[in-house]
Amino acid sequence: MGTAAFRADDVAAATAEILEVVELATRLAAPAHGRSVREVFLMWRVGFLPGVLMPASASPEVVKRHFRQYAHALERTLDR
C-alpha cells in the first residue's frame, strides 16, 4: 500500500494490484491465521491507516490523499 501511495498515478489500477497482493498474502497465511481478505483490510484500516492520516503525521499530503482513495476503493470492492 505504501509503495502504491508513493508511486502510482492511477489509483484504480493500483487498487486492483493491491487487492491481488493482499489476496495472495491472505491465501499464503490462511492455514496459520485463517483470515479473510476483508479481515486483513479491516485490520490495516484500523491498525495502520489512522497513523498515516493523523494531522501530526509526517506523511506528505499527496500520500494521505492516495491512502484515503485506496481505502475507499478497497472498501467498495470488498463490500461487493
Side-chain angles (χ1 to χ4, degrees):
M1 186 69 81
T3 301
F6 280 106
R7 299 178 66 184
D9 292 326
D10 182 356
V11 172
T15 298
E17 292 174 358
I18 289 166
L19 187 56
E20 184 179 338
V21 169
V22 172
E23 287 172 342
L24 177 61
T26 301
R27 281 196 312 269
L28 289 171
H33 301 289
R35 303 277 187 218
S36 71
V37 172
R38 177 95 175 123
E39 289 173 312
V40 172
F41 166 71
L42 291 173
M43 287 188 288
W44 170 82
R45 190 178 73 186
V46 171
F48 178 78
L49 190 58
V52 172
L53 299 181
M54 281 189 203
S57 168
S59 300
E61 286 304 315
V62 68
V63 170
K64 291 179 182 182
R65 183 170 21 90
H66 281 169
F67 269 85
R68 282 186 196 96
Q69 290 172 330
Y70 295 132
H72 292 301
L74 286 165
E75 189 161 3
R76 282 190 303 271
T77 301
L78 293 169
D79 280 345
R80 290 186 211 160

